[in-house]
Amino acid sequence: MINKVYVPPIKIQGIKTKIVPLISEVVWIDDSMTWIEPFMGSGVVGFNLAPEHAVFADTNPYTIALYNAIKNGEITSYKVRTFLEKEGKQLEEKDDRHYYYIRDRFNEEHNPLDFLFLNRSCFNGMIRFNRNYEFNVPYGHKPGRFAKAYVTKIVNQVKRLETIFPEKDWQFKCQSFEQTISEATSNAFIYCDPPYIGRHVDYYDSWDEEQEIKLHDALVNSGARFMLSTWEKNKYRTNEYIDIVWKDCYKVNQEHFYYVGAKESNRNSMLEALLMNYNPSEVSRKKEQKGVYSVLSSDRAVNE
């Protein structure tokens, strides 16, 4: 089980930092298999599990471009520090004028470093685009955002990837989840973290019942083992699609808070669900036989 979770340089709403340890416990993968993420988002899950072979895919070309630039050495931790210190100073002096200058420049030139700057200084760490796929998140109004300690934190996150990437057989692709899953073999493990239906839609692309069904059918037809992250319920409502679309899957639950609301009243606990096409208890038993302690407990109920 993973005890320390490393945060990647890209910030994203709904990031799975808090449930990486649980995912690591019930995941079914070994060094001969290929880890596949059709919705890589920030990459936090795969980067922490660190499989030998992996395909990270997303429809957001700018996250993929940033990670490919780090992988091929075009962007280094040193360049990140130099860039953020320079642009952070300009932001402190010019405030929102500089933020929107960088946003306009990014939408014209698509520089990965500009994307990183925007991701770390925009409102609430959101990633959102208009119909022309232009970044349109407003300024977060924190002119002192890129203080020395904060820049160092981001630099260290990039530095860790500089260490990992050369040691691994990892690919980063900008493509649809349908294409990514269609390329999977039976010796793959597919982890999906799609937009949560009925909750976070339109932060990359729209997501509805049709998309949810397409994803389910693509995963089932792939012949590979898979796991999907979704929400089960909060104090207001329940995700009905678990029983409608994913009723043929095993389930593991964990409760935690999402801190994505501007108001404290919007920051409520949610019951997360991991859905998979294999029995997670088998994975736990195998690990316990090897002396690995199981974290499955009453608040992480396995439905069999």
Side-chain angles (χ1 to χ4, degrees):
M1 186 185 72
I2 292 176
N3 295 313
K4 179 176 176 57
V5 177
Y6 293 93
V7 179
I10 290 295
K11 185 178 180 182
I12 187 171
Q13 286 192 313
I15 190 170
K16 293 298 176 291
T17 308
K18 292 184 179 180
I19 65 170
V20 167
L22 177 60
I23 292 174
S24 73
E25 184 190 2
V26 297
V27 70
W28 192 309
I29 192 168
D30 59 43
D31 290 346
S32 69
M33 301 170 69
T34 300
W35 171 270
I36 296 179
E37 284 195 50
F39 308 86
M40 78 164 291
S42 68
V44 66
V45 177
F47 290 174
N48 276 277
L49 268 60
E52 289 301 312
H53 314 281
V55 175
F56 295 95
D58 206 290
T59 56
N60 178 359
Y62 310 120
T63 300
I64 299 299
L66 175 65
Y67 287 142
N68 270 325
I70 296 173
K71 178 184 176 182
N72 63 32
E74 178 185 345
I75 289 179
T76 65
S77 54
Y78 175 79
K79 288 182 179 179
V80 168
R81 181 182 294 279
T82 302
F83 180 87
L84 293 183
E85 286 178 347
K86 174 187 173 185
E87 301 300 345
K89 183 177 181 181
Q90 292 292 308
L91 183 68
E92 191 168 356
E93 294 174 357
K94 302 177 182 179
D95 203 17
D96 59 338
R97 287 184 296 123
H98 191 64
Y99 174 84
Y100 289 110
Y101 165 76
I102 296 293
R103 195 177 76 171
D104 289 342
R105 185 173 73 183
F106 168 73
N107 285 330
E108 182 176 345
E109 301 176 3
H110 304 140
N111 185 321
L113 287 174
D114 282 343
F115 177 65
L116 181 60
F117 172 91
L118 293 171
N119 176 246
R120 291 300 187 134
S121 56
C122 69
F123 174 74
N124 214 21
M126 295 178 65
I127 297 180
R128 188 185 67 199
F129 307 95
N130 61 23
R131 292 183 179 180
N132 297 321
Y133 225 78
E134 296 174 327
F135 191 84
N136 66 353
V137 183
Y139 178 42
H141 294 285
K142 293 182 179 179
R145 160 58 73 189
F146 295 102
K148 184 176 180 180
Y150 193 69
V151 170
T152 297
K153 180 179 180 180
I154 299 171
V155 167
N156 287 339
Q157 291 165 351
V158 173
K159 189 176 295 185
R160 180 173 181 271
L161 299 186
E162 285 180 312
T163 302
I164 294 177
F165 285 1
E167 300 175 349
K168 303 293 183 179
D169 173 27
W170 287 2
Q171 299 178 59
F172 297 92
K173 298 182 177 182
C174 180
Q175 60 189 31
S176 68
F177 75 83
E178 293 98 332
Q179 182 175 347
T180 304
I181 295 174
S182 71
E183 295 173 357
T185 68
S186 59
N187 196 39
F189 184 93
I190 307 173
Y191 169 70
C192 289
D193 183 23
Y196 280 10
I197 188 167
R199 291 188 56 80
H200 304 305
V201 294
D202 291 325
Y203 70 96
Y204 285 164
D205 304 298
S206 60
W207 192 264
D208 54 23
E209 182 176 345
E210 181 181 358
Q211 295 289 86
E212 193 90 350
I213 294 172
K214 280 184 179 179
L215 176 57
H216 170 273
D217 293 347
L219 288 172
V220 171
N221 294 332
S222 71
R225 288 190 176 91
F226 67 79
M227 176 189 294
L228 175 116
S229 288
T230 190
W231 69 286
E232 180 156 0
K233 63 181 179 181
N234 56 27
K235 69 178 183 179
Y236 301 109
R237 54 201 177 100
T238 298
N239 181 2
E240 61 182 343
Y241 293 99
I242 290 180
D243 292 329
I244 296 174
V245 178
W246 303 98
K247 59 185 177 182
D248 53 348
C249 291
Y250 292 92
K251 180 177 64 177
V252 176
N253 292 121
Q254 176 174 311
E255 186 174 28
H256 73 83
F257 281 82
Y258 273 118
Y259 295 95
V260 297
K263 298 180 179 179
E264 187 174 351
S265 59
N266 293 332
R267 302 173 183 178
N268 300 304
S269 65
M270 179 190 297
L271 188 65
E272 290 279 342
L274 295 179
L275 308 174
M276 57 215 79
N277 65 338
Y278 59 90
N279 190 336
S281 296
E282 295 180 14
V283 179
S284 297
R285 281 194 291 268
K286 288 181 180 179
K287 292 184 178 181
E288 286 173 359
Q289 289 172 1
K290 295 179 180 179
V292 179
Y293 178 71
S294 175
V295 297
L296 287 177
S297 59
S298 59
D299 64 336
R300 290 163 175 165
V302 180
N303 295 342
E304 300 183 18

